Amino acid sequence: MTTTLTPTTGATDKEPGRLRRPKAARAGGTLHAGPLAYAVLVLFSIGSLFPLVWTAIAASRDNNRLAETPPPFWFGSNLAHNLNVAWNDANLGKAFVNTTFVAGVSAGTIVFLSTIAGFAFAKLRFKGRNAMMLIVIGTMMVPPQLSIIPLYMMVAKLDWTDQLQAVILPSLVSAFGVFFMRQYLMQALPDEIIEAARVDGASSWRVVWHVVFPAARPAMAVLGMLMFVQTWNDFLWPFLVLTQNGNPTVQVAVSALGRGYTPDQSLIMAGALLGTLPLLLVFAIFGKQIVGGIMQGAVKG
Amino acid sequence: MATRHDTAAPLAKEGGAAPARPEVVRTTDERRRARMSRRWQRDMRWSPYAFVSPFFLLFVAFGLFPLIYTGWASLHTVELTAPTDMKWAGLHNYTRIFDDDFFWNAAKNTLTMGIISTVPQLAMAMGLAHILNYKLRASTFFRVVMLAPYATSIAAASLVFVLLFGRDYGMINWALHFVGGGHIDWQNDKWPSQIAVSSIVVWRWTGYNALIYLAAMQAVPQDLYESAALDGANRWQQFFHVTLPQLRPTILFTCVVSTIGASQLFGEPLMFDANKGASGGAEHQFQTLGLYLYEQGWVNQHLGRASAIAWTMFLILIVIGIVNYVISRRLRESS
């Protein structure tokens, strides 16, 4: 179970064996990286991190210092003040509570529904299974922009504008989640365990509860994190339904900071920093698992 | 009463005192068992559907129904102020947008920005994945760092890039100044602004795609490289004749996903606009179809027209999907 979930360690496990192969055969995954490879990687890492670090630098300056040449390269002393003002201006406290709630409910529901559906597709036999799975994969191809207009009409009719359920409801379903859990359970859950539970007289629900959920827990955690990140960063739909800025998600609140005629850039950067920080923290802590999860979802994709 | 009659049942039958009793016990037991087995069968038969039905119910409600309804709405005149008041308009919305220069401008921008964001992104991702596939120190560290932009939101990333691409005090013009360039008006000139917006996309997604390629590379069977090496293929030849063909399905997958993503480009150009409007710059120089849809629907309040744009985008995607499929089919047959 664990080996399938951590391809990164899985790859290193194989290395001693690979090393013994003849030198000519070592290309493609076994050759030691040269200095050039490290140089490229370091360069890309700087490129990846620089905008993030610079957000923090800009957020720690005052607005005038940003309008000078050369631009600031090191931290100033205004960070606490800017964070404080941005927090209050953008209604970020409420936005954080809202976004955490939205992302938590969405991620939780997606994980639960994807696990039971993925289990059915992976392990149960029923009529129309293959056709249904094809439909699930097909739905991944439908762009969300096609549905926003009727969804907006629905929300308007229900008088849900500016309310969180308008954001949550359309994000409760994820074809990727079903696909991801199916791939995981096909290999992580031996048929014998399910049969054994059946022989003991367990109903399908008991099998799900006592066999599938424990077996799927690592994949559920990864899927949960991926979906949390995705919902947290969702922009288009919340931007359309949460129009009044009285009840924003973090992305809507941060985007609203850039408006106005003479925007204070360091304040905007402080807001952007606050909006990004929670997820960067999640990445700092669970980065390895998230990387593993994305790679695992990719191999069989 | 409390004794277990089922074990004593045969004996009890011979005695005359209470002949019926064990019978009753057995039949309830049987009935119970029959009921259990019926429930069992029902469970086996229907629970798979119960497990997949929430997905399909939600999909019908929030995916399929809106998809069809958008098509229906595109044949009507609908205003944002009264979304339920629909007047039949036939194909008027379609002819109306096809006659609109801004539509073609947006379509062209979407295409060019799709190319300048997707091609470098996937090419760099492939290169990165190839490097990450070597034996590396701190490989996990590099992977996580490269994925960090994926954790940032469109809103935050776009705001930062607006500053970095600033004309007078931006970091990028300042750096270009040393190589003799500089003073590019990244927000107002057509190509610079499109490159700038695309760079946000490239920045956010390159690492993610690199991981997907890396995963696919690690799944390539080792003996293919061995036999290629025995045939005298050098590293470049191995990459082109073993790695790339083996990765073809993954490459196709990322192409399709990136194409869909590029066709929907919305948040980045919206946030990159100095006026924060939906026009994509003062002269619509980087207005995408997504922005044009938003402008028609939510700024000009013509939801019917916006629906027609959405369906046109969908049809274009279907065409791209079919072309993709045909090309991959040809490639497979030719090799």
Side-chain angles (χ1 to χ4, degrees):
Chain A
M1 256 185 282
T2 43
T3 47
T4 50
L5 195 81
T6 50
T8 45
T9 53
T12 40
D13 288 343
K14 281 183 217 142
E15 270 153 19
R18 284 184 191 171
L19 267 178
R20 272 182 250 114
R21 296 209 167 100
K23 197 181 173 191
R26 270 196 230 144
T30 48
L31 225 63
H32 277 279
L36 188 68
Y38 280 103
V40 172
L41 282 179
V42 169
L43 218 65
F44 264 96
S45 302
I46 292 173
S48 289
L49 291 182
F50 178 73
L52 298 171
V53 176
W54 199 75
T55 310
I57 291 176
S60 70
R61 295 284 179 162
D62 69 80
N63 198 28
N64 299 329
R65 180 63 187 87
L66 289 183
E68 278 172 20
T69 318
F73 275 103
W74 197 241
F75 295 91
S77 55
N78 259 355
L79 185 63
H81 170 256
N82 285 336
L83 290 180
N84 194 17
V85 176
W87 178 273
N88 293 322
D89 273 11
N91 203 1
L92 271 177
K94 182 148 198 197
F96 271 119
V97 175
N98 280 348
T99 315
T100 311
F101 179 71
V102 168
V105 171
S106 295
T109 315
I110 287 174
V111 167
F112 177 76
L113 294 182
S114 299
T115 308
I116 57 174
F119 163 65
F121 281 124
K123 294 290 169 182
L124 303 180
R125 252 148 265 307
F126 56 96
K127 248 196 195 141
R129 179 175 79 159
N130 293 339
M132 282 180 174
M133 196 59 218
L134 267 182
I135 295 175
V136 171
I137 294 171
T139 59
M140 289 202 266
M141 299 286 156
V142 179
Q145 255 162 356
L146 268 171
S147 48
I148 53 174
I149 292 163
L151 285 180
Y152 188 85
M153 291 178 180
M154 269 161 66
V155 166
K157 204 171 182 184
L158 291 165
D159 217 8
W160 278 1
T161 317
D162 280 327
Q163 293 184 29
L164 292 184
Q165 63 263 41
V167 181
I168 293 174
L169 269 177
S171 65
L172 288 182
V173 56
S174 164
F176 167 78
V178 175
F179 186 68
F180 183 86
M181 291 311 301
R182 171 180 174 260
Q183 302 301 344
Y184 181 80
L185 286 172
M186 283 214 303
Q187 42 171 266
L189 187 63
D191 288 332
E192 293 78 24
I193 297 182
I194 304 171
E195 275 159 30
R198 293 277 196 206
V199 169
D200 287 347
S203 68
S204 296
W205 263 114
R206 284 179 70 92
V207 171
V208 167
W209 203 254
H210 294 287
V211 179
V212 177
F213 280 162
R217 204 178 292 148
M220 287 166 91
V222 169
L223 181 65
M225 281 187 290
L226 287 177
M227 290 299 121
F228 193 88
V229 171
Q230 189 180 310
T231 330
W232 183 283
N233 282 338
D234 211 4
F235 182 67
L236 172 65
W237 179 241
F239 177 79
L240 288 180
V241 253
L242 306 177
T243 49
Q244 301 298 317
N245 284 336
N247 201 20
T249 61
V250 172
Q251 304 317 323
V252 177
V254 169
S255 75
L257 270 176
R259 282 148 204 279
Y261 285 103
T262 49
D264 185 332
Q265 302 292 358
S266 56
L267 278 188
I268 296 176
M269 288 300 102
L273 182 66
L274 282 172
T276 312
L277 220 51
L279 281 195
L280 284 182
L281 272 178
V282 170
F283 255 64
I285 300 167
F286 298 111
K288 198 176 167 186
Q289 282 84 349
I290 294 177
V291 166
I294 288 175
M295 289 181 62
Q296 195 217 349
V299 188
K300 293 94 194 174
Chain B
M1 286 293 269
T3 47
R4 295 182 59 94
H5 287 282
D6 40 349
T7 48
L11 279 174
K13 216 170 192 177
E14 284 166 47
R21 200 181 172 85
E23 287 280 330
V24 172
V25 168
R26 197 186 293 157
T27 48
T28 49
D29 194 48
E30 267 171 11
R31 231 185 290 152
R32 200 175 55 115
R33 227 175 266 164
R35 200 170 60 226
M36 285 285 278
S37 114
R38 241 177 306 154
R39 192 189 291 165
W40 177 263
Q41 276 171 358
R42 225 180 309 147
D43 179 39
M44 290 298 276
R45 182 144 182 218
W46 295 111
S47 59
Y49 297 104
F51 292 153
V52 298
S53 57
F55 171 84
F56 283 101
L57 286 178
L58 284 168
F59 169 68
V60 167
F62 299 112
L64 190 63
F65 166 72
L67 174 75
I68 294 162
Y69 197 89
T70 306
W72 182 240
S74 73
L75 302 173
H76 291 77
T77 304
V78 200
E79 299 298 313
L80 182 73
T81 42
T84 44
D85 186 18
M86 294 174 39
K87 275 191 282 305
W88 178 258
L91 290 174
H92 173 73
N93 284 323
Y94 289 93
T95 53
R96 168 73 181 68
I97 58 169
F98 287 151
D99 281 341
D100 189 349
D101 286 343
F102 291 127
F103 171 80
W104 293 108
N105 172 59
K108 226 185 295 165
N109 288 346
T110 309
L111 180 70
T112 53
M113 287 160 82
I115 292 170
I116 52 184
S117 64
T118 309
V119 174
Q121 174 193 328
L122 294 182
M124 288 195 313
M126 182 61 78
L128 273 181
H130 185 69
I131 292 174
L132 284 169
N133 200 21
Y134 284 124
K135 258 174 78 70
L136 272 180
R137 275 172 209 285
S139 65
T140 311
F141 169 78
F142 284 122
R143 288 173 197 182
V144 173
V145 164
M146 243 148 249
L147 199 60
Y150 167 78
T152 51
S153 67
I154 291 176
S158 306
L159 287 172
V160 181
F161 274 73
V162 168
L163 272 187
L164 293 178
F165 276 109
R167 187 190 59 187
D168 296 322
Y169 307 107
M171 185 79 71
I172 292 180
N173 270 355
W174 178 78
L176 281 178
H177 153 85
F178 289 107
V179 288
H183 250 78
I184 296 171
D185 193 347
W186 292 105
Q187 260 181 326
N188 290 317
D189 290 346
K190 191 176 178 89
W191 285 107
S193 63
Q194 294 201 1
I195 291 170
V197 173
S198 303
S199 71
I200 308 173
V201 183
V202 173
W203 179 72
R204 280 190 72 218
W205 291 102
T206 299
Y208 183 88
N209 283 308
L211 285 185
I212 289 182
Y213 288 148
L214 176 61
M217 281 178 188
Q218 292 185 343
V220 175
Q222 225 15 243
D223 16 324
L224 288 180
Y225 290 108
E226 280 168 31
S227 52
L230 286 177
D231 289 345
N234 66 25
R235 251 195 274 168
W236 274 106
Q237 286 166 331
Q238 288 183 24
F239 178 75
F240 278 108
H241 297 289
V242 180
T243 311
L244 278 188
Q246 285 288 312
L247 256 54
R248 202 183 291 140
T250 315
I251 295 171
L252 204 68
F253 172 76
T254 53
C255 281
V256 169
V257 171
S258 307
T259 307
I260 292 176
S263 74
Q264 294 165 14
L265 201 58
F266 170 76
E268 292 90 344
L270 179 84
M271 302 294 296
F272 197 75
D273 191 345
N275 305 313
K276 300 289 172 283
S279 57
E283 279 156 12
H284 300 260
Q285 64 269 28
F286 53 90
Q287 184 175 41
T288 58
L289 281 174
L291 267 185
Y292 180 69
L293 182 151
Y294 172 73
E295 193 182 34
Q296 288 295 327
W298 276 265
V299 180
N300 300 340
Q301 314 210 330
H302 299 308
L303 281 185
R305 242 176 257 168
S307 305
I309 299 165
W311 255 81
T312 310
M313 288 166 69
F314 185 47
L315 295 178
I316 293 172
L317 277 179
I318 289 177
V319 170
I320 290 175
I322 292 171
V323 169
N324 246 327
Y325 177 77
V326 170
I327 289 176
S328 67
R329 206 47 199 278
R330 283 275 163 78
L331 282 175
R332 205 174 305 154
E333 277 164 10
S334 66
S335 66

